[in-house]
Amino acid sequence: MNGHRTAAVALTVCTTLLISSQAAAPSAWADRTSRGGAGSEVKGGASGRVITAQTRVRTSVHGSGTDHASVTGSPSPVGVAWTPPACWYEPAFSPKEIKSTVKAWRVFGANAPLVGGVGYVISAALEHRYKDGHPYKNYNLSKQGEGMFWASVVNPNRQDDPEATSCDRQPFWVDEGQTPAEPMAASPEILAQYAYDELPVPGTEIKMAPRARSTVNLPTWVWLDKGRFKKISVTATLPGTGLSATTTAEPESLHIDPGTPDATRFPASGGCAIRDGGGIGEPYARGRAETAPPCGVTYLHSTAANEAYALRATLTWKIRWSSSTGEGGGLPSGSFGATRRIPVQEIQSVNR
């Protein structure tokens, strides 16, 4: 027992040294077992003393909302302290892969300064787990093709998130077709949340009249063409599992922040709803210079020379998900916006 504790302590110390020295894990992630399709090589590494893997989740985008957008980005959750998961567990290693990984650790760093012998200590601790029956015997080689070792993976969009290291279990065995008793194991909902991070919603490129310069006490019309802001979806699929989820974002409303309290918004809340048939606000038409727009702003004071108000236009997207298992539901609404510089002049009339 004391020997096992000593090995565990040494493993933690040595892997910490490896990370602080920026030494790479051994390259031994091969021999992927085909699971109903073309095999693919798994990529892995180490986080602390935990064997990790690179996610195999694949995403695809559907919809034409971003066809003509010059800027796209992921929506930010509105009104809730929520983010997509920073890590989860998914099928990663076959028994042969776990064996080759442990063996690769044994010779790693043998001739390197500072880290010589570290690989041997790490390998001994891993052999205790995967070879010597604590809890796996001989790397589960007798079950090759009957399941996989599930390993921790990090959301590629959240590698710097403190929660990215919270999935700290060593790879664990799951029989083919079984669902692991692990809250952060890959599931349709986790795939849907990851797809949320992959949504390429278009930048809020509003149209305005007047386009170049607003005038004190005369309304500035704001609108969005329906063709530029359509429903968009991302499907996240975990190959070999039959699991996939589709997350869909649909434009819901536009919020206008004039960039100064000395302004009147239309409507007064600053929230412009989607019109019947799509689109937000209404394009300006000649002869309506003094008419209150369905969506827009009237500035009450001019800006100084070479200065401008920072008008912020933020589009809110309603987000829902569905999956290959029939599960689905809502996710937090997301927002994505852009800022326009609006110089304001003070004259008595304006030509549009």
Side-chain angles (χ1 to χ4, degrees):
M1 178 65 70
N2 289 338
H4 294 159
R5 288 178 179 172
T6 301
V9 171
L11 175 62
T12 302
V13 173
C14 291
T15 49
T16 300
L17 178 60
L18 276 174
I19 293 172
S20 64
S21 302
Q22 296 186 341
S27 178
W29 326 98
D31 190 29
R32 165 146 314 282
T33 302
S34 178
R35 293 162 57 83
S40 60
E41 184 175 318
V42 66
K43 295 181 180 179
S47 175
R49 62 187 181 89
V50 177
I51 296 175
T52 62
Q54 186 179 89
T55 184
R56 294 189 299 124
V57 175
R58 297 292 177 263
T59 58
S60 55
V61 180
H62 315 278
S64 57
T66 62
D67 285 355
H68 306 290
S70 59
V71 177
T72 61
S74 298
S76 299
V78 175
V80 293
W82 177 89
T83 59
C87 66
W88 58 86
Y89 299 92
E90 65 181 58
F93 302 110
S94 71
K96 290 182 179 179
E97 288 168 341
I98 285 290
K99 180 180 179 180
S100 63
T101 298
V102 172
K103 288 184 175 297
W105 270 117
R106 183 168 291 275
V107 298
F108 177 66
N111 300 315
L114 299 179
V115 297
V118 168
Y120 184 88
V121 175
I122 296 174
S123 178
L126 294 175
E127 284 181 352
H128 178 73
R129 174 176 173 81
Y130 294 105
K131 179 184 177 183
D132 299 337
H134 307 281
Y136 305 109
K137 185 71 174 178
N138 197 26
Y139 308 101
N140 269 12
L141 288 172
S142 63
K143 292 187 175 183
Q144 182 75 21
E146 298 177 10
M148 296 287 285
F149 285 97
W150 286 47
S152 168
V153 301
V154 173
N155 182 339
N157 301 304
R158 301 188 177 273
Q159 295 182 18
D160 297 327
D161 191 318
E163 292 298 313
T165 59
S166 63
C167 299
D168 56 2
R169 292 183 61 179
Q170 290 283 17
F172 54 91
W173 180 260
V174 179
D175 287 329
E176 187 76 29
Q178 296 298 307
T179 300
E182 164 56 57
M184 291 307 296
S187 65
E189 186 168 6
I190 284 179
L191 292 179
Q193 293 172 358
Y194 173 52
Y196 188 112
D197 246 355
E198 294 283 300
L199 283 166
V201 295
T204 311
E205 299 172 3
I206 58 175
K207 291 188 175 182
M208 302 177 63
R211 289 180 293 178
R213 184 182 298 271
S214 293
T215 299
V216 170
N217 293 327
L218 289 179
T220 296
W221 289 55
V222 175
W223 70 94
L224 292 172
D225 291 337
K226 69 176 183 178
R228 296 287 295 277
F229 292 88
K230 296 181 180 179
K231 184 163 56 177
I232 188 166
S233 300
V234 170
T235 297
T237 303
L238 183 54
T241 66
L243 294 179
S244 68
T246 298
T247 298
T248 301
E250 189 171 3
E252 188 171 40
S253 64
L254 178 72
H255 183 80
I256 299 295
D257 181 349
T260 173
D262 294 324
T264 300
R265 296 183 297 186
F266 305 99
S269 65
C272 305
I274 294 183
R275 304 191 312 266
D276 291 341
I280 296 177
E282 184 178 328
Y284 171 77
R286 183 176 291 275
R288 305 181 70 185
E290 298 185 17
T291 303
C295 183
V297 58
T298 294
Y299 287 101
L300 306 180
H301 294 285
S302 62
T303 54
N306 300 320
E307 293 187 2
Y309 294 124
L311 183 146
R312 181 75 177 173
T314 303
L315 192 64
T316 298
W317 299 76
K318 183 179 180 180
I319 301 179
R320 301 190 61 82
W321 67 280
S322 59
S323 71
S324 56
T325 62
E327 298 172 79
L331 289 170
S333 294
S335 66
F336 191 61
T339 300
R340 289 273 295 271
R341 288 177 54 81
I342 309 296
V344 180
Q345 61 188 350
E346 187 164 11
I347 59 176
Q348 298 303 313
S349 61
V350 60
N351 293 323
R352 293 183 181 257

